Amino acid sequence: MATTTPLTPPDQHREPPPLLGCACWWALCAAAALGLAVCSSLGPHRVWGAIAALGYLAAALLAARGRSPRTAGAVAVAGAVLLPLLWLLAVDRAQLEVRVVARSAGLLLAEGTPYLQHPVVPEDFDPYLPGMAVFGLPEAVAGPGPLTDPRLWMGAAFLGAFAFALPAGSRSAPLRWIAACPLVALPLAVGGVDLPVAGLMCLGLALAGRGRAGAAGLALGVAAALKWTAWPAIPVVLTLLAVSSRSTGRPGDRGEGRPPADRAAARCGLVALLTAAALVLPAALRDPGAFRAHVVDFPLGLTDAVSSAASPLPGHLLATHVPGGRTLALLLLGVSALLLALSLLLRPPATTADAAARLALGLLLATAFMPASRFGYLVHPLILAVWAAVRETPGHPLLLRVRKQVSR
């Protein structure tokens, strides 16, 4: 009978050329970066695309000449992340989110809330939860500069959380690949608020899988205080913990000596709730009207100002071109959330990898049906899917060996 099994330890020490590390992959990344440089209307994106295309092309040439995936990946990271990041820091250019986070931190210190009272144009709005302002505190305290730029702290938070979420001993290759992936390399260089949220969700899943329910709740609570997109991770992790005693996953997913499943889920949920409340409520209660306008109405497209998140995804196309399409898009979004909840009840995830895959699917549907959405939001399901694949096959993401076993 043919079954799918993880690589054996001897296989993990070899360096076979993985599918996503070959010359064709890096050439495809180069084409995508060049396309963004030509088509984007955003200056930082054009700069990233031009520099990253050269970095990916160099990685493709190295891979074609037989260099190791590690060498090609390192060159891709240098060309797609480090070089454009240094250039953009030197000329003080960044994506709009970076300036929004920096401004929100200054407002938080001065007025106790990161939100402007009377936003008018899209640039005035801060659609993130109050915890996101933490990444702007270095600049708010020490002043603008390359070392206080919020994107550095957001990138560091993502890389650190994602690294700790990976299995020990198999971190370098997944980190190198995920950092070089265009969907991640772009926000690392130009600034992206979704990266730390995705990294903390992976960390919460990993800690739950290790039996550390309180620590998992803390990571998820912090993520939930950054952006609404982290909230679906909480019920997924709670379901995972609640059924862990019946899980058929690997021993590493269940953990040794963990408390009863219901107690673990309750502890995780309580810590997540208290952490998120402690970080969100003070600013929200300071000015409830501004909080709603920035964090609820603006992302849902209920304000006069139109969000710049307008990629041609189904939700945006419905809201823009179909009469009553905004209501239909919101209805589809609600149906997707309901289906995810039902799937957790009827077929709860048995392992952390299953939970990550379920969460990735839910966030993919949410990205597709939100009235105001952009392709960059796909970084959430991408990172979760890569993390789930690494959990299943430590050592080489997205690489499985199918062995033939004889059943007796």
Side-chain angles (χ1 to χ4, degrees), residues 242-260:
V243 301
S244 60
S245 61
R246 303 190 300 273
S247 173
T248 58
R250 298 187 185 89
D253 280 327
R254 292 193 295 270
E256 300 266 344
R258 86 167 36 183

Side-chain angles (χ1 to χ4, degrees), residues 73-382:
V75 170
V77 170
V81 179
L82 295 180
L83 289 180
L85 174 61
L86 292 174
W87 176 268
L88 290 169
L89 286 173
V91 299
D92 193 24
R93 300 190 70 183
Q95 196 164 252
L96 176 61
E97 287 87 332
V98 176
R99 302 279 67 86
V100 169
V101 170
R103 183 190 65 210
S104 67
L107 289 172
L108 182 63
L109 292 179
E111 303 178 12
T113 174
Y115 307 111
L116 290 171
Q117 286 189 344
H118 303 291
V120 178
V121 297
E123 291 76 10
D124 292 340
F125 284 89
D126 176 5
Y128 318 120
L129 291 170
M132 191 68 71
V134 170
F135 297 110
L137 289 178
E139 181 170 318
V141 173
L147 297 181
T148 61
D149 193 287
R151 85 189 91 174
L152 291 182
W153 301 96
M154 291 188 288
F158 162 67
L159 293 174
F162 191 75
F164 280 111
L166 292 170
S170 59
R171 289 172 174 164
S172 60
L175 266 178
R176 187 168 56 248
W177 185 85
I178 199 68
C181 179
L183 207 58
V184 176
L186 173 63
L188 280 175
V190 304
V193 296
D194 295 294
L195 291 181
V197 179
L200 286 169
M201 285 194 290
C202 292
L203 182 59
L205 285 163
L207 291 170
R210 297 166 191 167
R212 301 175 59 183
L218 180 62
L220 293 174
V222 173
L226 300 180
K227 202 173 180 184
W228 289 120
T229 47
W231 283 87
I234 296 177
V236 172
V237 171
L238 294 185
T239 304
L240 174 68
L241 289 172
V243 301
S244 60
S245 61
R246 303 190 300 273
S247 173
T248 58
R250 298 187 185 89
D253 280 327
R254 292 193 295 270
E256 300 266 344
R258 86 167 36 183
D262 53 349
R263 289 172 51 194
R267 180 187 302 176
C268 178
L270 181 61
V271 172
L273 179 62
L274 292 177
T275 301
L279 294 174
V280 172
L281 285 181
L285 295 177
R286 178 83 174 184
D287 191 341
F291 177 82
R292 177 179 175 177
H294 285 263
V295 179
V296 179
D297 294 345
F298 181 68
L300 293 179
L302 302 178
T303 61
D304 293 333
V306 179
S307 172
S308 60
S311 295
L313 293 166
H316 174 70
L317 294 177
L318 285 173
T320 305
H321 302 291
V322 176
R326 186 177 303 279
T327 301
L328 179 59
L330 293 176
L331 179 62
L332 290 172
L333 187 62
V335 170
S336 300
L338 178 60
L339 291 177
L340 176 62
L342 288 176
S343 76
L344 294 177
L345 292 174
L346 300 177
R347 191 179 178 183
T351 67
T352 53
D354 293 339
R358 192 78 54 86
L359 180 58
L361 177 60
L363 292 175
L364 179 63
L365 292 173
T367 300
F369 294 130
M370 283 191 297
S373 186
R374 60 163 55 119
F375 288 120
Y377 296 165
L378 295 173
V379 72
H380 290 289
L382 169 69

Side-chain angles (χ1 to χ4, degrees), residues 12-108:
Q12 294 178 12
H13 291 292
R14 293 207 302 253
E15 282 281 356
L19 175 65
L20 297 180
C22 66
C24 291
W25 166 249
W26 297 125
L28 181 63
C29 291
L34 186 60
L36 186 66
V38 172
C39 300
S40 177
S41 60
L42 302 176
H45 287 203
R46 292 197 299 270
V47 170
W48 176 85
I51 299 176
L54 296 176
Y56 288 134
L57 182 59
L61 293 175
L62 289 173
R65 294 174 65 107
R67 296 297 181 90
S68 69
R70 177 179 300 179
T71 300
V75 170
V77 170
V81 179
L82 295 180
L83 289 180
L85 174 61
L86 292 174
W87 176 268
L88 290 169
L89 286 173
V91 299
D92 193 24
R93 300 190 70 183
Q95 196 164 252
L96 176 61
E97 287 87 332
V98 176
R99 302 279 67 86
V100 169
V101 170
R103 183 190 65 210
S104 67
L107 289 172
L108 182 63

